[in-house]
């Protein structure tokens, strides 16, 4: 029930026979959204007014945690489980990006059969669903999203495949990651708005329930990797935002060339805030933008 509806019911219930409403004892607080955005591996000293003005403004007008620490070991999915639950791995039961559960069977998001007799990479919603076989839930403790759904709050988990889905693997709210969109009403609403869906999105439904248009394309396809002169080795200098181990910048500010992509990401944040408008007020959103 929204705050506005709750206020209306209160006024009706307190109306005396004479028809004059009795004002409530205290004003009903306005509704608000909670947005949690996670950048994997982003150094705090990389957020500056010069390089990332929008992110810096978000920090300066909100709450800044200056003594937070990652779950150890610092694997993406282990930390995603901690974000989802507020618990350490010994309670969540999730111990790494690669999981071994030979009793599971199934396919990955692309429909390729997975051999669960071997350790499997878990950053895939279909793999995570398969890992729930034989156990009541994927994580051994309740998630923040579980509590939100129990309270009747709408949620949206948005971001990288695996960590985003782990926030709401029970699919109690809306989910949009690199490989799936849930529920179908959300997917069709995005299509109606002209938003391209992940190429593997239909595999989360029965055949024919979700159909992609001929011009949908593959919006989450990985860009071509840059190669060194040998034509084989990947040029990691174009991919990493961190100084290499032992480099003087490893303990201080990142090298200037490592910081070049950050203003581009910051501009995207500004564009998304402009385009969001009132729509962002309708949901409590948890965006998990993780990169391994």
């Amino acid at each position: 029930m929204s705050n506005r509806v709750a206020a209306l019911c209160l006024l009706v219930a307190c109306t005396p026979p004479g028809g004059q409403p009795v004002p409530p004892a205290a004003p009903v607080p306005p509704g608000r959204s909670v947005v949690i955005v996670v950048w994997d591996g982003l150094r705090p000293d990389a957020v500056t007014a010069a390089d990332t003005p929008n992110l810096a403004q978000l920090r300066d007008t909100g709450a800044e945690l200056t003594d937070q620490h990652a779950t150890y070991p610092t694997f993406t999915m282990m930390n995603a489980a901690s974000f989802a639950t507020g618990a350490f791995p010994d309670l969540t039961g999730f111990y790494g990006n690669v999981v071994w559960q030979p009793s599971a069977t199934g396919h990955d998001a692309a429909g390729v059969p997975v051999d669960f007799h071997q350790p499997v990479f878990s950053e895939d919603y279909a793999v995570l669903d398969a890992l729930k076989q034989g156990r009541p839930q994927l994580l051994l403790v309740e998630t923040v999203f579980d509590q939100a759904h129990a309270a009747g709050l709408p949620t949206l988990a948005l971001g990288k495949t695996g960590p985003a889905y782990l926030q709401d693997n029970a699919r109690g709210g809306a989910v949009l990651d690199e490989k799936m969109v849930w529920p179908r009403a959300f997917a069709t609403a995005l299509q109606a708005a002209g938003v391209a869906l992940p190429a593997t999105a239909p595999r989360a439904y029965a055949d024919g329930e979700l159909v992609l248009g001929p011009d949908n394309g593959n919006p989450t396809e990985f860009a071509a990797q840059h190669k060194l002169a040998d034509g084989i080795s990947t040029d990691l200098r174009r991919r990493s935002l961190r100084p290499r181990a032992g480099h003087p910048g490893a303990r201080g500010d990142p090298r200037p060339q490592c910081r070049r992509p950050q203003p581009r990401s910051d501009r995207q944040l500004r564009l998304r805030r402009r385009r969001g408008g009132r729509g962002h007020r309708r949901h409590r959103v948890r965006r998990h933008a993780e990169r391994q």
Side-chain angles (χ1 to χ4, degrees), residues 2-53:
S2 68
N3 287 328
R4 289 185 179 180
V5 174
L8 178 61
C9 293
L10 180 61
L11 288 174
V12 172
C14 294
T15 301
Q20 295 297 323
V22 177
V28 178
R32 64 191 180 111
S33 298
V34 176
V35 182
I36 301 177
V37 187
V38 180
W39 277 267
D40 187 10
L42 179 64
R43 297 165 56 104
D45 56 7
V47 180
T48 66
D51 289 333
T52 56

Side-chain angles (χ1 to χ4, degrees), residues 8 23 31 35 74 99 123 141 146 150 173 175-176 185 201 210 212 222 233 237 267:
L8 178 61
V35 182
T74 53
V99 180
E123 293 186 21
V141 290
D146 290 335
V175 180
L176 172 58
L210 180 64
L212 302 183
F222 285 107
S233 305
R237 295 173 300 175
R267 286 193 295 271

Side-chain angles (χ1 to χ4, degrees), residues 4-276:
R4 289 185 179 180
V5 174
L8 178 61
C9 293
L10 180 61
L11 288 174
V12 172
C14 294
T15 301
Q20 295 297 323
V22 177
V28 178
R32 64 191 180 111
S33 298
V34 176
V35 182
I36 301 177
V37 187
V38 180
W39 277 267
D40 187 10
L42 179 64
R43 297 165 56 104
D45 56 7
V47 180
T48 66
D51 289 333
T52 56
N54 295 286
L55 190 54
Q57 181 187 24
L58 208 61
R59 174 198 63 195
D60 296 340
T61 57
E64 181 184 10
L65 307 179
T66 59
D67 193 31
Q68 71 277 15
H69 302 277
T71 297
Y72 185 83
T74 53
F75 294 123
T76 296
M77 294 296 283
M78 283 180 61
N79 278 270
S82 291
F83 272 111
T85 62
F88 287 109
D90 61 330
L91 294 180
T92 67
F94 215 96
Y95 298 101
N97 295 338
V98 177
V99 180
W100 182 64
Q101 188 171 316
S103 61
T105 59
H107 301 72
D108 64 14
V112 178
V114 176
D115 180 10
F116 286 92
H117 289 90
Q118 304 296 326
V120 296
F121 192 58
S122 64
E123 293 186 21
D124 183 302
Y125 83 89
V127 171
L128 291 172
D129 281 347
L131 291 173
K132 288 190 284 188
Q133 298 174 13
R135 54 195 298 180
Q137 56 195 34
L138 186 61
L139 301 175
L140 301 182
V141 290
E142 191 177 37
T143 68
V144 173
F145 275 40
D146 290 335
Q147 296 180 8
H149 300 153
L153 301 176
T155 62
L156 169 63
L158 169 67
K160 179 185 175 183
T161 180
Y165 188 68
L166 196 61
Q167 308 308 304
D168 188 15
N169 66 88
R171 303 190 189 185
V175 180
L176 172 58
D177 70 14
E178 297 167 296
K179 297 181 179 179
M180 67 94 72
V181 187
W182 185 268
R184 188 165 66 91
F186 181 38
T188 54
L190 291 175
Q191 289 180 308
V195 177
L197 303 185
T200 54
R203 295 188 177 277
Y205 302 88
D207 290 343
E209 282 193 354
L210 180 64
V211 179
L212 302 183
D215 58 344
N216 183 88
N218 188 2
T220 58
E221 184 178 15
F222 285 107
Q225 294 183 346
H226 298 279
K227 303 294 184 180
L228 297 177
D230 62 6
I232 300 175
S233 305
T234 302
D235 187 355
L236 297 178
R237 295 173 300 175
R238 299 200 178 202
R239 300 182 62 191
S240 178
L241 295 182
R242 303 171 183 165
R244 64 182 182 273
H247 188 276
R251 292 182 177 273
D253 292 333
R255 294 170 293 168
Q257 60 266 37
C258 292
R259 290 160 52 189
R260 288 170 188 161
Q262 293 169 199
R264 289 200 300 270
S265 299
D266 189 71
R267 286 193 295 271
Q268 289 297 316
L269 173 64
R270 174 174 58 85
L271 290 174
R272 283 172 172 79
R273 292 172 66 188
R274 282 184 175 180
R275 293 172 182 168

